[in-house]
Structures are given as structure tokens and as C-alpha cells.
Amino acid sequence: LGPSVVTVGRISGGTRRNIIPEDVIMEGTVRTYSPQVRDDIERRMEEIVAGIVAAGGGQYELQYDRGTPATINDATLTQQMAPTLSKIVGDKVEVLDPVMGGEDFAYFANEVPGFFFRLGMVAPGETSGGHHTPTFKADDASIPVGMRAMSNLLIDYLKSRPRMQQ
């Protein structure tokens, strides 16, 4: 298997602490960089759960929803457009290694070259929890910066493309 993250984020079952539940539901996420690794994880989950349940004489149903794929930037496009971001925010631009995060944007980036960028949104002197946490706190002053970044990225990208003949 390649790099992956399997998270069980929810386990629910039963009505009392001293009664064995009839049903238990476990839900989670799987993050990978490739569809082949997702296939391997789904197969291994099926094998592992089947073995555990067979050992206890139970039954199970595995529903494996693929969800959103990992968001992986096109390296060439990222390198081409990073100077535009630097023009907007200065030396604060960092090109990061891939992370397991999934965004709807990944569906587009799997079809055409794309890159996803994160806009720093914590006000100076403030703190914030990570995205998707109850302590996340964004600074609204980042909105105009994001708008400038996106519009300049579009303009610079279009300027770099060969003109189509009329």
C-alpha cells in the first residue's frame, strides 16, 4: 500500500453500558493519493472485518463510499503560477508537499491541470484552530487578498496561453 490515512471518526451502538448492542455502526474516512491504494484499502477492510466478525459469529455490512479524492496539484501549473501569488502576498508563498486533504476541487483537477492554494486567514496576533474544527476562526480581511490572488491568477494564466486564431 502507498501512503494513506484511515480514520474511524464515529462509533455508535447500544443503549446502556451493560447491555451488548445488537448493532454497532462505525463511520470514518479513507484518504490516499491514488485510486489503486483506495482499492487496496477497501479490499483489506473487507478481509479484516470479515475475519473479526467470523471469529465472533456475527454479521456485517461494509459500505465503502469513495468520497472526495485527494487534491493533488499539477506540479507544472503550480510552478508557473506561484510567482503570481508572490506578486500579491510577497515572500509568504510556500509550495507544500501533497497532503491527504480532499476538496471538491479535486474532481476538476483530476480532469484538467489545476492547483489548489490556501489563503492565510489568521489575523496577526490571533490564533485559530485547524479547518473543520470548532475553534477555527478566519479573519475577514483575507477576503480582498483572496479576490486579488484569484483574479490575478486568472489574468496571468490567460496571458500565458497562446492566442487562438480567429
Side-chain angles (χ1 to χ4, degrees):
L1 297 178
S4 57
V5 176
V6 178
T7 302
V8 177
R10 179 173 175 254
I11 302 173
S12 67
T15 57
R16 307 242 337 138
R17 63 186 172 124
N18 63 342
I19 299 173
I20 297 171
E22 183 176 346
D23 295 304
V24 173
I25 296 173
M26 298 172 65
E27 295 179 328
T29 59
V30 173
R31 302 291 180 138
T32 69
Y33 293 133
S34 80
Q36 294 79 20
V37 173
R38 280 187 176 198
D39 291 343
D40 291 342
I41 289 174
E42 181 177 11
R43 179 184 50 78
R44 288 294 294 141
M45 287 176 112
E46 187 75 40
E47 292 169 356
I48 291 167
V49 171
I52 291 169
V53 170
Q59 300 175 353
Y60 75 98
E61 176 185 346
L62 177 64
Q63 295 177 354
Y64 189 87
D65 178 3
R66 296 218 168 228
T68 307
T71 303
I72 302 172
N73 288 344
D74 180 84
T76 302
L77 183 61
T78 301
Q79 183 178 16
Q80 175 190 346
M81 301 312 298
T84 298
L85 292 174
S86 293
K87 180 173 67 175
I88 303 301
V89 298
D91 63 356
K92 297 175 185 171
V93 174
E94 294 179 55
V95 177
L96 304 174
D97 291 330
V99 296
M100 294 285 176
E103 294 285 342
D104 293 344
F105 178 80
Y107 291 112
F108 297 107
N110 283 344
E111 298 298 320
V112 296
F115 83 99
F116 186 87
F117 67 94
R118 294 179 178 167
L119 184 62
M121 299 181 296
V122 180
E126 295 287 326
T127 59
S128 174
H131 289 197
H132 308 288
T133 67
T135 56
F136 178 72
K137 182 177 158 188
D139 179 13
D140 289 346
S142 65
I143 294 172
V145 176
M147 292 171 64
R148 277 194 309 278
M150 292 178 76
S151 59
N152 277 269
L153 285 166
L154 178 60
I155 290 167
D156 288 356
Y157 177 77
L158 291 174
K159 284 180 182 176
S160 74
R161 307 301 302 163
R163 294 188 181 241
M164 295 178 58
Q165 298 208 1
Q166 304 276 332

